[in-house]
Amino acid sequence: MSNSNHKIVPHLWYDKEAKEAAEFYASIFPDSKITNVTTIRNTPSGDSEIVSYELWGQKFMAISAGPFFKMNPSVSFTVNFDPSREKEAGEKLIEVWNKLSDGGTVLMPLDKYPFSERFGWIQDKFGLSWQLILTNPEGEERPAIVPSLLFIGEQCGNAEEAIRFYLSVFKNGEQGLLVRYPKRMEPDNEGLIMFSDFKLKNQWFTAMDSTHEHRFSFNEAISFMVYCDTQEELDYYWEKLSAVPEAEQCGWLKDQFGVSWQIVPSEMDEMMSKSTPEQRDRVTKAFLKMKKFNLVELQKAYKGS
């Protein structure tokens, strides 16, 4: 099972464009490929295409499952162009920026900022947001692509509490940097998190607070899949993370901050990608009835017993 190092995988929900988007990204980022495309049938959204892919070493999964959720910049992906790792990091950054700009919307122009020689924030034509940054080569090394959580609106001010909570739930986590807003950075309040990063199960995340007026917040369009080897693990994460009973569905839950997670058996990928259409239909039918996943029931459906 190839998820041993990738226990947490970002999951993107599209109306119909999951495969098209994955192909677009794989053509832009180095060391990228689509690893699997599968269709599941008879879901509430009809037939849904599931796409697994890797971008610059970061695994992703995406699904085309109807126009129910729209991505917004409360979850974005930071792309670290590190001159100590990457020849011509600056040129590469501009190249990627130009490709993502095609049909996209600039959220923060590509420019020099106090925290970076070159930085820009862009929402691409599929609605996904990217923060491209030329990193300081003296800094601690981080992966090329890192999911980034923006605590805004009623969640503003909760970044620190959220990081503490996640580090308590996921064992063997690690707190990285933590930088607070200084005085006179209005509208951002002194002491809130300007930037921080943390690691859960080998997956780095960044988090920040922003008091700027934004009309969006965390939703199901971007969720994080947590792969579990046992029912005990499935039970543990479900119990710790789920805070919104009405959001519980087919392995999905919402935590107290509004972030969506999917608590899934590690075997699920295999059941979906290395299976016959009949097996896949049985597993789909079984999991559509579940809130929290029942591993034994899914295995039975897979085997047809």
Coordinates of all heavy atoms in Angstrom, one line a residue, residues 1-7 9 52 59 61 227-229 264-274:
M1 N 0.9 -1.2 0.0 CA 0.0 0.0 0.0 C 0.9 1.2 0.0 O 1.7 1.4 0.9 CB -0.8 -0.1 1.3 CG -1.9 1.0 1.4 SD -3.2 0.8 0.1 CE -3.3 2.5 -0.4
S2 N 0.7 2.1 -1.0 CA 1.7 3.2 -1.1 C 1.4 4.4 -0.2 O 2.0 5.4 -0.3 CB 1.6 3.7 -2.6 OG 0.4 4.2 -2.8
N3 N 0.4 4.3 0.7 CA 0.1 5.4 1.5 C 0.9 5.5 2.8 O 0.6 6.3 3.7 CB -1.4 5.5 1.8 CG -2.2 6.0 0.6 OD1 -1.7 7.0 0.1 ND2 -3.2 5.4 0.2
S4 N 1.9 4.5 2.9 CA 2.5 4.5 4.2 C 3.1 5.8 4.6 O 3.1 6.2 5.8 CB 3.6 3.4 4.2 OG 4.4 3.6 3.1
N5 N 3.7 6.6 3.6 CA 4.2 7.9 4.0 C 3.2 9.0 3.9 O 3.4 10.1 4.4 CB 5.4 8.3 3.1 CG 6.4 7.1 2.9 OD1 6.4 6.3 3.8 ND2 7.1 7.1 1.9
H6 N 2.1 8.7 3.1 CA 1.1 9.7 2.9 C -0.1 9.3 3.7 O -1.0 8.8 3.1 CB 0.8 9.9 1.4 CG 2.0 10.5 0.7 ND1 2.1 11.8 0.4 CD2 3.0 9.9 0.1 CE1 3.2 12.0 -0.3 NE2 3.8 10.9 -0.5
K7 N -0.1 9.6 5.0 CA -1.3 9.2 5.8 C -2.4 10.2 5.7 O -3.5 10.0 6.1 CB -0.9 9.0 7.3 CG 0.0 7.8 7.5 CD -0.9 6.5 7.4 CE -0.1 5.3 7.9 NZ -0.9 4.1 7.7
V9 N -4.0 13.0 3.0 CA -4.0 13.4 1.6 C -5.1 14.4 1.3 O -6.2 14.2 1.6 CB -4.2 12.2 0.6 CG1 -4.3 12.6 -0.8 CG2 -3.0 11.2 0.8
S52 N -6.5 10.1 -8.7 CA -5.3 10.2 -7.8 C -4.2 10.8 -8.6 O -3.9 10.3 -9.7 CB -5.0 8.9 -7.3 OG -6.1 8.2 -6.7
K59 N 0.9 14.1 -2.7 CA -0.2 13.3 -3.2 C -1.5 14.1 -3.1 O -1.7 14.9 -2.2 CB -0.4 12.0 -2.4 CG 0.6 11.0 -2.8 CD 0.2 9.6 -2.3 CE 1.3 8.7 -2.7 NZ 1.0 7.3 -3.0
M61 N -6.0 13.8 -4.1 CA -7.1 13.0 -4.7 C -8.2 14.0 -5.1 O -8.3 15.0 -4.4 CB -7.6 12.0 -3.8 CG -8.4 10.9 -4.5 SD -8.7 9.6 -3.4 CE -7.5 8.4 -3.9
Y227 N -5.8 8.3 6.3 CA -5.8 6.9 6.0 C -5.5 6.1 7.3 O -4.5 6.4 8.0 CB -4.7 6.5 5.0 CG -5.1 6.9 3.6 CD1 -4.6 8.0 3.0 CD2 -6.1 6.1 2.9 CE1 -5.1 8.3 1.7 CE2 -6.5 6.4 1.6 CZ -6.0 7.5 1.0 OH -6.4 7.9 -0.2
C228 N -6.3 5.1 7.6 CA -6.2 4.4 8.9 C -6.1 2.9 8.6 O -6.8 2.3 7.7 CB -7.5 4.6 9.7 SG -7.8 6.3 10.1
D229 N -5.2 2.2 9.3 CA -4.9 0.8 9.1 C -5.9 -0.1 9.8 O -6.1 -1.3 9.4 CB -3.5 0.5 9.5 CG -2.5 1.2 8.7 OD1 -2.8 1.5 7.5 OD2 -1.4 1.5 9.1
V264 N -10.6 7.3 6.4 CA -10.8 6.2 5.5 C -9.8 5.1 5.7 O -8.7 5.3 6.2 CB -10.7 6.7 4.0 CG1 -11.8 7.6 3.6 CG2 -9.3 7.3 3.7
P265 N -10.3 3.8 5.5 CA -9.3 2.7 5.6 C -8.2 2.8 4.5 O -8.5 3.2 3.4 CB -10.2 1.5 5.3 CG -11.6 1.9 5.2 CD -11.6 3.4 5.0
S266 N -7.0 2.4 4.9 CA -5.9 2.5 4.0 C -6.2 1.6 2.8 O -5.7 1.8 1.7 CB -4.6 2.0 4.7 OG -4.4 2.7 5.8
E267 N -7.0 0.5 3.0 CA -7.3 -0.4 1.9 C -8.3 0.2 0.9 O -8.4 -0.4 -0.2 CB -8.0 -1.7 2.4 CG -7.1 -2.6 3.3 CD -8.0 -3.5 4.2 OE1 -8.9 -4.1 3.7 OE2 -7.7 -3.5 5.4
M268 N -8.9 1.3 1.2 CA -9.9 1.9 0.3 C -9.4 2.1 -1.1 O -10.1 1.8 -2.1 CB -10.4 3.2 0.9 CG -11.7 3.7 0.3 SD -13.0 2.6 0.9 CE -14.4 3.7 0.5
D269 N -8.2 2.7 -1.2 CA -7.6 2.9 -2.6 C -7.6 1.7 -3.4 O -8.0 1.7 -4.6 CB -6.2 3.5 -2.4 CG -6.2 5.0 -2.1 OD1 -7.3 5.5 -1.8 OD2 -5.1 5.6 -2.0
E270 N -7.1 0.6 -2.8 CA -7.0 -0.7 -3.5 C -8.4 -1.2 -3.9 O -8.6 -1.6 -5.0 CB -6.3 -1.7 -2.6 CG -5.5 -2.7 -3.3 CD -4.5 -3.3 -2.3 OE1 -3.7 -2.6 -1.7 OE2 -4.6 -4.6 -2.1
M271 N -9.3 -1.1 -2.9 CA -10.7 -1.5 -3.2 C -11.3 -0.8 -4.4 O -12.1 -1.3 -5.1 CB -11.6 -1.3 -2.0 CG -11.3 -2.2 -0.8 SD -12.4 -1.8 0.6 CE -11.9 -3.0 1.8
M272 N -10.9 0.5 -4.6 CA -11.5 1.3 -5.6 C -10.7 1.2 -6.9 O -11.3 1.3 -8.0 CB -11.5 2.8 -5.2 CG -12.6 3.0 -4.2 SD -14.2 2.5 -4.9 CE -15.3 2.9 -3.6
S273 N -9.4 1.0 -6.8 CA -8.6 1.1 -8.1 C -8.2 -0.3 -8.6 O -8.0 -0.4 -9.8 CB -7.3 1.9 -7.9 OG -6.5 1.4 -6.9
K274 N -8.0 -1.3 -7.7 CA -7.6 -2.6 -8.2 C -8.7 -3.6 -8.2 O -8.6 -4.7 -7.9 CB -6.4 -3.1 -7.4 CG -5.2 -2.2 -7.4 CD -4.0 -2.9 -6.7 CE -2.7 -2.1 -6.9 NZ -2.8 -0.8 -6.4

